[in-house]
Amino acid sequence: MSKKIATYLLLAVFILSLGLVGCGKQTNSSTAKVLRVGAETTFPPFEFQDETSKEYTGFDMDLARAIGKQMGYEVQIQNIGFDGLIPALDAGTIDMAASAMTITDERAKKVNFSQPYYKSGLSIVVKSSNAVINGFKDLEGKRIAVQIGTTGAEAAHKIKNAQVREFNSSSEAYIELKNNGVDAVVNDLPVNAYYLTKSGDKDAKLVSEVANSEYYGLATAKKNTELNEKVNKALDELKKNGEYEKIYIKWFGKKPE
Ligand code: ARG
């Protein structure tokens, strides 16, 4: 090979490699970044599986997809036990938890929370025939079903002499009430309310007292502060452009508080 040809070849390789570097910077669907979102998906209307399409749906799922889109990420949703979400963030197997997760001081030591995106609170479901449980003080010494690792579980454990039964999903807790295995279910108010309207369970009712105010946040790994900032920015944008309100109205039939 003559020296001249070799120089041309080298030059050609150099120019080609420049072109490739340029391509890598372009964003197109084949190079879309992926946001792995974890949720415990038996928690309607926040996260649940659509019966026909089998897709994960609900307020959080719509919000997570909108946030991903806003940030230029493709969203992939994984079903993970509620008590496994923070460990999954820690281990880096998911990037974000969108699972109606209440912002608590305890959890905030382990993960970063976004700004609050939903105001909630704890409430009680009992059998329609139950005339003795009318508030949290009446739960003393009673049998209570809760979902494992939740703020509902934590609250139930603080009640004097209560026998607390923990289930992997809130649907199992409602079944336990139906079967008279417990006297009450303690769970997030919107989930209790949704269960009572959607299931058509006439055998159960909501106790009017709501224990507290809780705020849900989107959780990301403690070390990934950059992602938390991006999520907050995307939330701000969705609040400004009306998308957040649209999703809220779709699931709750009213404007956000
Ligand atoms: N808000 C409650 C908590 O943070 C319950 C959340 C349960 N979420 C779920 N997707 N199962 O403890």
Side-chain angles (χ1 to χ4, degrees):
M1 209 189 297
S2 80
K3 233 183 175 174
K4 207 168 170 187
I5 294 177
T7 318
Y8 278 135
L9 265 177
L10 262 178
L11 200 70
V13 168
F14 179 66
I15 291 169
L16 261 175
S17 65
L18 278 185
L20 283 179
V21 169
C23 281
K25 280 191 185 137
Q26 273 169 22
T27 41
N28 56 39
S29 57
S30 62
T31 58
K33 293 169 285 177
V34 171
L35 187 71
R36 296 161 305 164
V37 174
E40 191 287 313
T41 56
T42 62
F43 211 63
F46 294 94
E47 39 268 342
F48 60 107
Q49 211 165 12
D50 184 275
E51 271 171 29
T52 33
S53 74
K54 301 284 172 232
E55 272 215 44
Y56 294 128
T57 183
F59 177 71
D60 288 346
M61 303 295 93
D62 281 352
L63 189 64
R65 288 190 185 104
I67 285 174
K69 196 168 159 205
Q70 194 70 22
M71 305 191 310
Y73 284 74
E74 182 198 307
V75 170
Q76 281 173 9
I77 293 161
Q78 297 176 31
N79 180 24
I80 297 179
F82 191 72
D83 56 343
L85 287 168
I86 292 181
L89 284 171
D90 254 349
T93 50
I94 56 168
D95 305 305
M96 183 173 95
S99 199
M101 193 182 280
T102 301
I103 302 172
T104 66
D105 292 344
E106 184 86 13
R107 289 173 182 161
K109 284 181 200 147
K110 301 184 201 145
V111 294
N112 291 322
F113 278 112
S114 70
Q115 54 175 297
Y117 69 88
Y118 184 87
K119 180 173 183 261
S120 189
L122 291 176
S123 74
I124 307 165
V125 175
V126 293
K127 279 279 171 89
S128 303
S129 55
N130 188 320
V132 294
I133 300 176
N134 297 304
F136 281 83
K137 59 167 188 356
D138 304 322
L139 288 176
E140 271 193 37
K142 296 285 188 294
R143 300 168 305 162
I144 308 168
V146 294
Q147 183 177 17
I148 194 162
T150 59
T151 46
E154 206 186 321
H157 281 296
K158 285 187 189 142
I159 296 166
K160 234 167 89 197
N161 300 323
Q163 294 170 43
V164 182
R165 308 242 342 248
E166 299 194 335
F167 294 91
N168 283 323
S169 67
S170 34
S171 33
E172 289 165 89
Y174 298 127
I175 291 171
E176 197 63 12
L177 178 70
K178 219 180 172 73
N179 295 340
N180 288 314
V182 289
D183 306 300
V185 172
V186 172
N187 198 9
D188 296 22
L189 173 65
V191 178
N192 278 340
Y194 192 90
Y195 165 73
L196 290 173
T197 35
K198 288 288 152 152
S199 68
D201 185 353
K202 298 261 180 302
D203 207 22
K205 66 177 181 191
L206 196 68
V207 172
S208 60
E209 187 192 2
V210 178
N212 54 0
S213 293
E214 294 188 5
Y215 294 88
Y216 297 164
L218 298 159
T220 47
K222 197 87 216 166
K223 53 179 179 281
N224 198 349
T225 44
E226 196 190 320
L227 182 59
N228 189 39
E229 279 161 26
K230 277 192 193 164
V231 169
N232 271 330
K233 191 167 155 251
L235 255 174
D236 277 340
E237 286 161 359
L238 296 175
K239 282 183 178 171
K240 258 188 220 126
N241 71 16
E243 188 67 20
Y244 170 84
E245 185 174 294
K246 220 169 92 188
I247 298 171
Y248 195 102
I249 292 173
K250 171 179 167 190
W251 290 102
F252 305 108
K254 57 176 186 191
K255 285 190 174 200
E257 285 182 37

